[in-house]
Structures are given as structure tokens and as C-alpha cells.
Amino acid sequence: MKIVLATNNRHKVEELTHLLAGEGREIRTLAESGFSGEIVEDGATFEENSYIKARTVSERLGCIAVADDSGLEVDCLGGAPGVHSARYAGEHASDAENLDKLLDAVCGKTDRRARFVSVITAVFPDGRRITARGECEGKILDERRGSGSFGYDPVFYYEPLGKTFAEMTTEEKNAVSHRGKAVRRFAEMFFLDKPARE
């Protein structure tokens, strides 16, 4: 079974490949599949953007395409950065710049509740689709902790383990993360052919 990951984000490729790999599954990246060009993510929700990416790749390559759209929602910021998480500090902002802007925005706030959200969508060549959502609750710290992972992980504190996402091992993070939860739900629906196709 050939599955193309509809993302150029190497961190997402690594996480999704690790979580989706299995016997009989050929996981390919956009580059390996010969896909080029921009995908315009102009949806208002994670669900919409995930579907846009998967549909675009599936239609252009005629294959099963899987896309993840994910981000951070911070309660005291009204849910921001949300779907703009990757470009919170600007269209071509780095992880460090996005993180700096977030820390500035929450400075002085007492309510630091936040959640990571991941929505994974598969689109089939015949137009069918499967969508799974995962969330992980946590809070935003005042300063970075840990050197692993990417994005907002160094300031996202997961209380049950007493660690930020950046302090966790890959196994720890996959067990509790938004993307790990979404992928496991997705795998139930996709590989076991659960009746959740739209």
C-alpha cells in the first residue's frame, strides 16, 4: 500500500513515518513522489487545512495521500496561534521566532492552559476521506526547557510526566502527544477499515 505524506515539514515526516510504518505500507514523501509546487492552506480550521493538503496531493498524484495539520491553542490568547502556528511571527518565521512571539504574548498572564491539536486526513483516489483528531492538554512555561523536538515543544509542559515535550523521549512523546493520539485513531479507521469514511 503506497501512502504519500502531504507535507514538506521534515519533523512531521519523521513523526508520521515512525507512527505509520508497518508491513505492507510504502510511506513516501512529496519529494520522493515527484510532487512540487505550493499547497495553499487557506482553511479556517485544522480539519479544513488537513483536507486541502491531502486532497491536493491525492488528485495530482492519483494516490492515497495523508496530511496532518496541527498547532497550538492557548486559552489566554483566544486560541491563538491556532491554524497560524507555523507562521505566527510571519510567513517565513523560524521556530525560534514563533516561540519568542508566543512567550511575549503570554508574559504576565496567569492562565497558561493550552493544547496541541493534530488533525490527520487521508484522501483516496476515488475522493473518499478519513479524518482523525487528537489533542493534548498542557500549559505554557515562561522559558524553554529541553533540547529535543521542534516548534513550541520547549515551552509546552505536560503535567502528568512533569516534562515539556522537548524533554521527552520519542517514545514518551508519541504515547501522549496530539499527533500520536490522532495517528492511533486514524490507524484504527484506516488500517482496520473502521466505518468512519466520509
Side-chain angles (χ1 to χ4, degrees), residues 37-50:
E38 291 291 318
I39 300 175
V40 179
E41 300 174 45
D42 55 2
T45 65
F46 296 116
E47 282 81 3
E48 289 174 4
N49 282 333
S50 178

Side-chain angles (χ1 to χ4, degrees), residues 59-126:
E59 288 178 351
R60 199 170 304 174
L61 298 180
C63 65
I64 301 170
V66 175
D68 162 86
D69 197 60
S70 54
L72 178 70
E73 296 178 338
V74 181
D75 288 355
C76 68
L77 302 180
V83 295
H84 304 293
S85 293
R87 50 193 183 278
Y88 188 43
E91 194 60 38
H92 301 289
S94 66
D95 283 353
E97 290 169 329
N98 286 330
L99 196 43
D100 286 341
K101 180 173 180 178
L102 176 70
L103 290 175
D104 285 344
V106 300
C107 183
K109 308 281 189 186
T110 54
D111 181 4
R112 297 296 187 85
R113 289 173 298 169
R115 71 206 47 81
F116 271 125
V117 178
S118 171
V119 175
I120 297 176
T121 301
V123 172
F124 297 78
D126 63 6

Side-chain angles (χ1 to χ4, degrees), residues 6-165:
T7 180
N8 286 310
N9 182 313
R10 67 180 180 85
H11 298 292
K12 286 187 180 182
V13 167
E14 289 169 4
E15 286 193 356
L16 286 170
T17 299
H18 180 78
L19 291 163
L20 289 173
E23 188 177 347
R25 305 170 200 164
E26 180 187 355
I27 313 295
R28 299 180 65 93
T29 66
L30 289 177
E32 291 168 340
S33 302
F35 182 95
S36 61
E38 291 291 318
I39 300 175
V40 179
E41 300 174 45
D42 55 2
T45 65
F46 296 116
E47 282 81 3
E48 289 174 4
N49 282 333
S50 178
Y51 174 61
I52 288 168
K53 289 185 278 191
R55 183 194 64 206
T56 301
V57 173
S58 179
E59 288 178 351
R60 199 170 304 174
L61 298 180
C63 65
I64 301 170
V66 175
D68 162 86
D69 197 60
S70 54
L72 178 70
E73 296 178 338
V74 181
D75 288 355
C76 68
L77 302 180
V83 295
H84 304 293
S85 293
R87 50 193 183 278
Y88 188 43
E91 194 60 38
H92 301 289
S94 66
D95 283 353
E97 290 169 329
N98 286 330
L99 196 43
D100 286 341
K101 180 173 180 178
L102 176 70
L103 290 175
D104 285 344
V106 300
C107 183
K109 308 281 189 186
T110 54
D111 181 4
R112 297 296 187 85
R113 289 173 298 169
R115 71 206 47 81
F116 271 125
V117 178
S118 171
V119 175
I120 297 176
T121 301
V123 172
F124 297 78
D126 63 6
R128 291 174 301 140
R129 61 174 155 161
I130 291 173
T131 300
R133 181 183 177 101
E135 296 186 8
C136 182
E137 297 287 335
K139 68 178 183 180
I140 304 301
L141 300 180
D142 287 316
E143 56 186 22
R144 296 165 171 82
R145 279 177 36 181
S147 57
S149 225
F150 65 100
Y152 301 98
D153 287 0
V155 297
F156 186 82
Y157 181 74
Y158 181 70
E159 206 157 11
L161 290 182
K163 298 179 180 182
T164 66
F165 268 19

